[in-house]
């Protein structure tokens, strides 16, 4: 299974913010740190804020920050949100779908894939905070 760029960017945002708990950051800072499009990140950030993964503070001196401790943000939940995980293959229009065993196999495969991510949180991604902060700093 392959994750989308959208999920990739969501994970990067959470890594950046998780490495700086409580600190307000800008989308521009994140985009520059990872050398990715600020426009692409804007949609991801809005979605993450609406889903409660991050918090957005408006106005002068505003920015975004992780909304809760990194230990409480589960990666499986994030994947279910960003990927809208359903079946790996669209079987509903297939003529044999009611008699075929493939839909249940695909459902089991999806569940097994996400089960690995369910074991981890954002905290697992940012355990080496000082090194991450250095690598994501503007001087790097």
């Amino acid at each position: 299974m392959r994750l989308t760029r959208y999920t990739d960017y969501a994970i990067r945002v959470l890594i950046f913010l998780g490495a700086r708990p409580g600190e307000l950051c800008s989308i521009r800072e994140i985009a520059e740190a990872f050398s990715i499009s600020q426009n692409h990140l804007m949609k991801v950030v809005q979605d993450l804020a609406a889903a409660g993964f991050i918090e957005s503070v408006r106005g002068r001196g505003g920015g975004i920050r992780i909304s809760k401790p990194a230990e409480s943000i589960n990666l499986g939940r994030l994947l279910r949100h960003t990927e809208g995980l359903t079946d790996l293959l669209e079987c509903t229009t297939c003529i044999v779908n009611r008699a075929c065993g493939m839909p249940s196999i695909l459902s089991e495969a999806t569940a097994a894939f996400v089960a690995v991510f369910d074991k981890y949180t954002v905290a697992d991604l940012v355990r080496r905070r000082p090194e991450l902060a250095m690598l994501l700093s503007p001087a790097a």
Side-chain angles (χ1 to χ4, degrees), residues 86-107:
T86 56
D87 293 330
L88 299 173
L89 184 65
E90 182 57 51
C91 290
T92 57
T93 58
C94 179
I95 194 167
V96 298
N97 76 330
R98 289 182 299 195
C100 176
M102 193 60 157
S104 63
I105 294 168
L106 292 170
S107 180

Side-chain angles (χ1 to χ4, degrees), residues 56-74:
S56 178
V57 177
R58 294 181 182 253
R60 187 171 176 87
I64 56 174
R65 64 181 159 222
I66 200 162
S67 63
K68 47 190 150 191
E71 300 80 28
S72 65
I73 300 177
N74 181 270

Side-chain angles (χ1 to χ4, degrees), residues 1-64:
M1 182 166 198
R2 189 169 202 176
L3 299 176
T4 62
R5 180 174 285 144
Y6 192 88
T7 296
D8 176 22
Y9 287 0
I11 291 169
R12 291 179 194 219
V13 167
L14 289 173
I15 288 170
F16 191 95
L17 298 177
R20 296 167 172 76
E23 189 178 318
L24 283 173
C25 303
S26 72
I27 294 171
R28 192 180 94 235
E29 285 178 284
I30 299 168
E32 288 174 359
F34 287 110
S35 298
I36 56 179
S37 166
Q38 187 172 330
N39 290 334
H40 286 92
L41 273 185
M42 289 176 80
K43 183 178 179 183
V44 173
V45 164
Q46 287 174 337
D47 182 45
L48 290 175
F53 291 102
I54 65 172
E55 171 179 29
S56 178
V57 177
R58 294 181 182 253
R60 187 171 176 87
I64 56 174

Side-chain angles (χ1 to χ4, degrees), residues 1 3 7 11 73-80 85 111-121 124-125:
M1 182 166 198
L3 299 176
T7 296
I11 291 169
I73 300 177
N74 181 270
L75 296 182
R77 180 174 172 257
L78 176 69
L79 255 60
R80 285 182 189 87
L85 288 174
F113 177 77
V114 178
V116 173
F117 287 91
D118 281 334
K119 297 177 188 177
Y120 300 97
T121 67
D124 295 307
L125 303 178

